Amino acid sequence: MTDSINQFAHYLQAMEIDVWILRQPVTCTLIDTPEIISTDSSVSVTTTTPDLASAITLSDSDVNRTDEWKTLQNQVIQCTACELHKTRTQTVFGVGNQQAHCLFVGEAPGADEDAQGEPFVGRAGKLLNAMLFAIQVPRESVYIANVLKCRPPDNRNPAQHEMVCCTPFLQQQIALIQPKLIVALGAIAAQYLLSTKTAIGNLRGKRFEYAGTGIPLIATYHPAYLLRSPLQKRKAWEDLQLIRKMMTE
Ligand code: SF4
């Protein structure tokens, strides 16, 4: 145990983040969410993100999910629905456990992701891995995706119409995964998924529901932002503890 804690501490220190140590382990099994969603009165959130509730049908039927995943991934690979297809190196579909309890959603691929075809690689990805490691949740046990499947040129922010265009793919990923918890990483993903303009600082640390689906959603800072603003890492740690709590309650 001591060895693993030391390894854990060294790992986090290597990532130049504070050392966070849990008092007890956690597995990524989730909740039957009791009371979700209560939004702070200071936070304006609607659950009317474009057609999301109606588009997501969570079914327990015994379907061939492997084929559905392949079909969906091929649709993304071939997608030319917005102009981002012209500048991408490749699409960045998503990665992880297709039956994960926890789905992490960022905004869009960056340069590293565009080059490697996988979300959250590079420095931000390493920090996300360290954050997951800190709550003893292996990256492989969750699913990680972005709202956009193609990189906006020069890492500019996604345009609203691009996100609307690409959202059906994320919706289908959610329908296939049927996560028990969605974690929005960063302001853009959080504001889009919650259909709000409220600042991420006021969204984080609270429980929301994703678009009338009954799936709990919480928001936290994007790892890339934490690399630029290390003073916010303590708040991110609070968010991680909330994630962990929601996994175990
Ligand atoms: Fe298609 Fe989404 Fe890529 Fe636009 S960003 S081309 S909608 S996959």
Side-chain angles (χ1 to χ4, degrees):
M1 181 65 178
T2 303
D3 285 347
S4 65
I5 289 175
N6 287 338
Q7 181 186 27
F8 168 44
H10 289 147
Y11 189 73
L12 294 181
Q13 285 168 340
M15 294 307 301
E16 300 177 353
I17 61 177
D18 296 337
V19 177
W20 301 327
I21 297 175
L22 288 179
R23 293 180 182 171
Q24 57 186 9
V26 62
T27 56
C28 192
T29 46
L30 269 229
I31 54 184
D32 274 319
T33 72
E35 43 98 32
I36 310 191
I37 316 342
S38 62
T39 60
D40 189 294
S41 58
S42 64
V43 177
S44 169
V45 173
T46 66
T47 55
T48 55
T49 307
D51 296 321
L52 298 188
S54 60
I56 297 173
T57 304
L58 302 183
S59 166
D60 292 330
S61 61
D62 185 16
V63 293
N64 189 333
R65 292 183 184 269
T66 301
D67 285 348
E68 291 189 37
W69 276 105
K70 284 180 184 171
T71 300
L72 181 59
Q73 187 154 13
N74 284 334
Q75 288 173 345
V76 169
I77 288 171
Q78 295 168 19
C79 180
T80 57
C82 81
E83 67 274 19
L84 294 182
H85 80 276
K86 297 175 183 173
T87 51
R88 71 189 177 208
T89 302
Q90 58 189 312
T91 54
V92 181
F93 180 70
V95 69
N97 180 356
Q98 295 175 346
Q99 297 178 317
H101 290 294
C102 319
L103 168 65
F104 288 75
V105 182
E107 61 198 61
D112 291 321
E113 290 76 18
D114 178 67
Q116 297 184 40
E118 180 173 329
F120 286 91
V121 293
R123 287 188 70 214
K126 287 180 180 174
L127 179 53
L128 177 61
N129 293 347
M131 292 164 67
L132 292 172
F133 190 78
I135 54 172
Q136 300 182 12
V137 174
R139 176 181 170 105
E140 300 73 29
S141 72
V142 302
Y143 199 88
I144 303 171
N146 286 302
V147 176
L148 290 187
K149 309 308 183 194
C150 302
R151 179 196 180 202
D154 302 320
N155 289 356
R156 66 161 168 77
N157 288 341
Q160 180 73 10
H161 73 275
E162 292 163 351
M163 292 195 286
V164 170
C165 225
C166 210
T167 294
F169 295 131
L170 178 63
Q171 291 172 346
Q172 291 177 64
Q173 288 175 310
I174 292 171
L176 285 168
I177 297 168
Q178 301 186 23
K180 304 293 190 298
L181 173 65
I182 296 174
V183 179
L185 295 167
I188 292 175
Q191 290 172 345
Y192 181 70
L193 295 177
L194 291 171
S195 193
T196 182
K197 293 183 178 178
T198 302
I200 183 69
N202 290 328
L203 293 175
R204 57 156 294 275
K206 301 181 177 75
R207 301 180 184 212
F208 300 100
E209 176 184 326
Y210 176 57
T213 60
I215 303 172
L217 184 152
I218 66 172
T220 188
Y221 295 113
H222 195 287
Y225 171 77
L226 293 174
L227 289 171
R228 298 192 302 272
S229 307
L231 292 179
Q232 302 296 343
K233 288 175 181 172
R234 288 207 173 273
K235 291 181 182 172
W237 172 235
E238 293 171 7
D239 297 338
L240 287 170
Q241 289 177 308
L242 177 59
I243 293 168
R244 175 178 175 271
K245 181 173 183 289
M246 293 177 72
M247 289 176 173
T248 54
E249 66 186 9

